[in-house]
Amino acid sequence: MASSFFKFAVIALLGLTAAGCSSTGSNTMTSGAPLTSASSLVTPAAFAPAVEDSDVAHRAKPYFVEFRARSALSYGHTFAVFGRLDQNGRVPVDANGVLIPSMTEITGLAPATTSSVPYTIGHVLPVPSETGPSDGDSENAYMTANYRIDLTEAEYRGLEAKIRYLKANRPVWHAVLYNCSAYTNEIAEYLGLETVNPLLFPKNYINALKRANT
């Protein structure tokens, strides 16, 4: 893990140089939007992507993780929703399209602040992070892309442990060196998925992740 993290840091530093030469219209930089609102490392395991239209798959795999992108005042935000599917085999939401808290959890990396100042500083220096929900994460109205994988109970418990580990061991956010999509990549890697460039805009990142694994 340490060597792969170091490798990512080197690649990201090169990406920072390239991003500095790019126009503001480039679609290669991403970051988590500012917030408004621990356990042992688990061995990675390969899980097959969900077949969303299969009732049998839903019964056999009643849990899920869904990688999401949402709109924001900045580049947008990448995060993951995980929990138990509803009786229809869907991600549980209420009548307003808001995730049901008793059945779902949200994890995503973003600056631990309600101010735009640390968020701005985080484009130069790492800043303290939080790994819970940020404003708009729970509302389908702001979602711009998604990719869901259904899980058995055993797979889900392993994922929960992995996320607890990440939440306890990822204390900083940086727009390029370690952003919300890089955090999401670690969850995807645990699931045995092929990861993609974390410098893509969130919507492009999620769509690329889906294409790479379907």
Side-chain angles (χ1 to χ4, degrees), residues 23 27-28 39 44 49 60 62 77 83 88 103 108 123 139 141 150 166 180 182 184 186 191:
S23 69
N27 69 347
T28 57
S39 70
H77 184 47
N88 297 312
M103 299 180 70
H123 285 69
E139 300 171 63
D150 293 350
L166 291 175
C180 56
T184 302
E186 291 207 71
L191 294 173

Side-chain angles (χ1 to χ4, degrees), residues 106-190:
I106 296 171
T107 186
L109 190 81
T113 180
T114 57
S115 167
S116 62
V117 175
Y119 173 72
T120 302
I121 293 172
H123 285 69
V124 180
L125 299 172
V127 295
S129 69
E130 286 193 358
T131 53
S134 57
D135 189 34
D137 287 356
S138 64
E139 300 171 63
N140 283 354
Y142 297 109
M143 184 170 62
T144 57
N146 65 302
Y147 173 43
R148 194 182 97 194
I149 295 174
D150 293 350
L151 305 169
T152 66
E153 182 172 0
E155 292 167 346
Y156 181 73
R157 299 309 173 198
L159 176 66
E160 280 188 312
K162 175 64 176 181
I163 290 174
R164 286 197 302 271
Y165 173 85
L166 291 175
K167 288 168 72 72
N169 291 278
R170 298 296 180 264
V172 297
W173 175 92
H174 187 278
V176 175
L177 296 180
Y178 192 71
N179 57 29
C180 56
S181 294
Y183 178 85
T184 302
N185 258 354
E186 291 207 71
I187 298 173
E189 183 179 34
Y190 167 75

Side-chain angles (χ1 to χ4, degrees), residues 11-78:
I11 294 171
L13 282 170
L14 295 175
L16 178 58
T17 304
C21 300
S22 301
S23 69
T24 56
S26 170
N27 69 347
T28 57
M29 182 177 284
T30 181
S31 62
L35 291 179
T36 60
S37 43
S39 70
S40 61
L41 184 61
V42 182
T43 303
F47 303 141
V51 181
E52 292 192 5
D53 295 330
S54 170
D55 290 335
V56 174
H58 288 145
R59 288 196 297 270
K61 298 186 174 185
Y63 297 90
F64 75 95
V65 59
E66 185 169 79
F67 302 104
R68 291 187 171 194
R70 66 161 173 80
S71 57
L73 293 176
S74 60
Y75 315 108
H77 184 47
T78 304

Side-chain angles (χ1 to χ4, degrees), residues 187-205:
I187 298 173
E189 183 179 34
Y190 167 75
L191 294 173
L193 301 178
E194 181 179 341
T195 57
V196 296
N197 183 2
L199 299 182
L200 293 169
F201 275 124
K203 179 180 178 180
N204 296 340
Y205 167 84

